Structure formats: structure tokens, C-alpha cells
Amino acid sequence: MSDCLFCKIKNSEIPADVVYEDEHCLAFRDIQPKAAVHLLVIPRKHVENLDDLTDDDSEMISHIMLTIPRIARQQGLVEGYRTVTNNGAMSGQEVYHLHFHILGGGKINPL
Ligand code: AMP
Ligand code: ZN
């Protein structure tokens, strides 16, 4: 997706503070952090959001779910963190490339 912001980050076409990457995903710091630590974890594959996943994505999405806690630990979030994924217009999704927010580094307000 040539006009996708997160594909551009993935392809190093625009800069980002990348803290983790592997064959399926990468994680970088949110440009407008809503917590002391605010990361975004994205699949390398362009998928719009959870609604866009198919059975063919099973390995990729399970890998990401297993990797999120490793990234959180690596970033020092040993006392807890929150993951959030917005899906679709009414959720406030702004970037239509699947991403998991990781928020932590201090007390987070209850949902
Ligand atoms: P969402 O509303 O769930 O689609 O979240 C999109 C997130 O992407 C927001 O928290 C933005 O602050 C973040 N964001 C937008 N542009 C960039 C960028 N260039 N680098 C890092 N994060 C970004
Ligand atoms: Zn994309």
C-alpha cells in the first residue's frame, strides 16, 4: 500500500523510533504518546484492522500476540501495560494499517 503511513514506516520511507522488529512485525514509539511508554506494534503485512484478517493470517497474528508481552518486558513494563486496537471509524481508528497500542510506564487511567 503505497499511501499507507505505517507501510512507509515499515519500508523506512519515513522515520520512526523503532524499538523491535522481526519477520512478522515491528514496534515503534507513537509520535503523540498518551502514556510514558506508548508503542505501536504493526504487522509487516498490510492489513487494515482485525476485520481484515483471514485464516491465512493465523500464524502472523498469533506471533504478534505472543510478541507483545516480550516487547513490553523489553521496554521495562514489568508492572503492567494496556493493549488497545481500534477497528473502524466509530472506534476512532486513524491509520488503516492494523496496529496494537502498548501503553504503560506508570498508572494508566481506568477504561
Ligand atoms: P489509531 O487512532 O488507533 O489509528 O492510532 C494511530 C496512532 O498513530 C496515533 O496514536 C498517532 O499518534 C500515531 N501516529 C500517527 N503518525 C505517526 C507517526 N508518523 N509515527 C508514529 N506514530 C504515529
Ligand atoms: Zn500499510
Side-chain angles (χ1 to χ4, degrees), residues 62-109:
S62 71
H63 173 85
I64 290 177
M65 289 294 103
L66 292 167
T67 303
I68 284 173
R70 292 185 199 133
I71 296 169
R73 266 197 302 279
Q74 196 181 79
Q75 293 298 311
L77 302 177
V78 292
E79 291 189 277
Y81 58 91
R82 179 178 295 156
T83 56
V84 176
T85 307
N86 292 318
N87 296 279
M90 293 304 281
S91 73
Q93 183 174 5
E94 288 174 2
V95 180
Y96 278 75
H97 182 128
L98 176 62
H99 51 281
F100 295 89
H101 296 257
I102 299 178
L103 300 145
K107 186 91 177 115
I108 307 170
N109 292 331

Side-chain angles (χ1 to χ4, degrees), residues 5-6 29-31 34 40 86 92-95 99 101:
L5 179 66
F6 288 173
R29 292 190 195 284
D30 196 292
I31 205 166
K34 282 95 185 167
L40 300 172
N86 292 318
Q93 183 174 5
E94 288 174 2
V95 180
H99 51 281
H101 296 257

Side-chain angles (χ1 to χ4, degrees), residues 7-66:
C7 280
K8 286 180 181 162
I9 287 178
K10 170 190 74 184
N11 294 329
S12 303
E13 290 166 21
I14 63 169
D17 189 355
V18 176
V19 299
Y20 175 88
E21 53 187 320
D22 65 29
E23 72 275 26
H24 281 302
C25 64
L26 61 155
F28 51 90
R29 292 190 195 284
D30 196 292
I31 205 166
Q32 287 187 294
K34 282 95 185 167
V37 177
H38 186 172
L39 307 172
L40 300 172
V41 183
I42 68 165
R44 289 194 181 278
K45 179 180 176 185
H46 179 87
V47 176
E48 286 200 348
N49 54 35
L50 293 178
D51 293 336
D52 200 21
L53 291 170
T54 72
D55 288 345
D56 290 342
D57 299 312
S58 297
E59 186 192 332
M60 174 270 276
I61 198 66
S62 71
H63 173 85
I64 290 177
M65 289 294 103
L66 292 167

Side-chain angles (χ1 to χ4, degrees), residues 1-5 8:
M1 288 289 283
S2 55
D3 59 345
C4 170
L5 179 66
K8 286 180 181 162

